[in-house]
Amino acid sequence: MRGLKFALVAGVAAITLSACADRYQMASDAEPTGSSFTRELYKGYVGLSGDEKSEQDWGDSDLFADKALASADGKVVAPEDVANWDLDAEFVNDLSSAHDRLAAALANGAADIAPTSAANAQVMFDCWIQEQEENIQPDDIAACRDGFLAAMAKVDAAMAPKAKAPAPAPAPAAAPAPYAIYFDFDSDVLTVDAQAEVSVIVAAVKKHSPSKVIVAGHTDTAGSSAYNQNLANRRAAAVVTALESHGVSASIVQSQGVGENAPAVDTGDGISEFRNRRVIVTLVK
C-alpha cells in the first residue's frame, strides 16, 4: 500500500475486514466492458486484489479492487506513480525507468497494438512497485519485476517497425547498418527477441560475406564502471557464441566491450536505461 502499513486495533478490525472483503467481492462480481485492454486490466487487478486480501493487506487489496472496478467500466486507469510510494532510494531509478518505458509504449498505442501484453505489463508494474515498497518478499518482488520485463519485451516486439525486403539490385548490396541486440537489466542472457535478432544477423552474414563481424558490448550507467565493463564483455561474448553456433566463422568475428562509455541515450551516471543495454553488431565488407 502507499506509505507504511499500520496495525489495526482490535475494536475496528472486524469492520475493516468486512469492508475490504466487500470491495474485492464487488470487483470479482463485476462484468467487464470496454476494450480488450481494459478487460485484461480488469482480470489482472482482480488477481492482485485477491492476492493482497489473502495476506490481510486490506489497503492494497482495496487499491487494486478499485482499479479493477474502474477497468470493468471501460475506464483506462494509469500505472502507479513512483512518487506516490514510500520506496527506498536504491529502488527509485529502476522503477522510474520502468514506468517511463511503459508510459511511452502506452502513449504510442500499445493498448491497441498489443492489448494483452500491455495490460499484463501495467499490472505487473503495479505489483512490482507494491511489493518493492514492502520489501519483505524477495521472491514476489522478482516475480513481479520479471513478469513486467517479459510483458514489455512482447510489447516492444509487437510495436517494432516491420522490416521490408530490400528491392533487388544488380550490384552486390552494401553491408547493412549495424544491428542492435538488447538485454534485460544486469543480464548477459539472450532473450527470445535477442535470439531472433541473432538469426537475422546470421542471414545477413551469409548474404553479404563480410570480411569482419565486429561485436561490441554496451551497458547502461547503473552500477560501477568496472562492473559494467565486465558485463559488456560478457554480453559481447554471449552474442559471439550465438553467432558461431549458427555457423559464422570465428576467424571473422571480433569482440570488444565498450561498457558504459558510449550510451545510445545520454542519461548521466547511475541510470538504468533499456536502450543502453545492448550489443552492436557491425558487418564490414
Side-chain angles (χ1 to χ4, degrees):
M1 69 185 282
R2 284 172 286 189
L4 298 175
K5 289 186 168 58
F6 53 90
L8 293 174
V9 295
V12 297
I15 297 173
T16 304
L17 174 59
S18 174
C20 292
D22 287 347
R23 300 268 282 281
Y24 166 70
Q25 194 61 53
M26 288 173 59
S28 298
D29 294 342
E31 295 185 6
T33 60
S35 67
S36 296
F37 176 66
T38 59
R39 291 196 298 270
E40 291 296 327
L41 282 181
Y42 164 76
K43 290 191 292 185
Y45 282 129
V46 167
L48 290 185
S49 179
D51 290 344
E52 294 308 307
K53 176 177 175 287
S54 69
E55 297 179 359
Q56 299 184 9
D57 182 348
W58 317 123
D60 285 337
S61 179
D62 282 355
L63 169 67
F64 295 133
D66 287 345
K67 297 187 86 166
L69 287 166
S71 299
D73 288 339
K75 299 173 183 176
V76 177
V77 296
E80 288 298 302
D81 190 335
V82 175
N84 290 337
W85 291 79
D86 186 15
L87 299 164
D88 290 346
E90 62 187 297
F91 306 125
V92 171
N93 283 343
D94 280 351
L95 281 160
S96 295
S97 178
H99 180 278
D100 291 348
R101 181 182 173 193
L102 172 60
L106 293 173
N108 287 326
D112 296 322
I113 298 169
T116 299
S117 296
N120 191 31
Q122 177 167 325
V123 170
M124 287 296 97
F125 175 80
D126 283 5
C127 175
W128 177 12
I129 199 171
Q130 183 268 333
E131 293 291 346
Q132 191 67 80
E133 183 196 63
E134 292 180 346
N135 200 23
I136 56 176
Q137 295 174 301
D139 289 345
D140 289 352
I141 295 169
C144 296
R145 181 187 63 240
D146 293 347
F148 167 77
L149 293 173
M152 280 305 305
K154 293 179 181 179
V155 171
D156 291 341
M159 297 183 68
K162 305 302 180 183
K164 296 182 180 180
Y179 298 88
I181 299 174
Y182 294 96
F183 289 77
D184 289 338
F185 179 75
D186 195 24
S187 174
D188 59 1
V189 177
L190 295 176
T191 64
V192 173
D193 290 342
Q195 294 174 28
E197 190 67 4
V198 167
S199 297
V200 172
I201 296 169
V202 170
V205 171
K206 293 177 180 178
K207 176 179 179 179
H208 296 283
S209 299
S211 62
K212 290 188 293 185
V213 177
I214 301 174
V215 179
H218 298 260
T219 71
D220 57 30
T221 60
S224 70
S225 177
Y227 181 86
N228 286 336
Q229 183 62 50
N230 179 267
L231 178 58
N233 292 340
R234 300 201 320 264
R235 285 175 174 167
V239 172
V240 169
T241 298
L243 290 172
E244 293 177 359
S245 72
H246 284 77
V248 176
S249 174
S251 65
I252 65 171
V253 178
Q254 296 181 5
S255 176
Q256 62 186 33
V258 181
E260 65 182 46
N261 297 314
V265 180
D266 189 3
T267 62
D269 193 34
I271 302 299
S272 172
E273 169 53 56
F274 175 76
R275 290 168 290 181
N276 290 337
R277 300 195 292 268
R278 70 205 192 281
V279 165
I280 301 298
V281 179
T282 305
L283 276 54
V284 179
K285 292 296 285 184

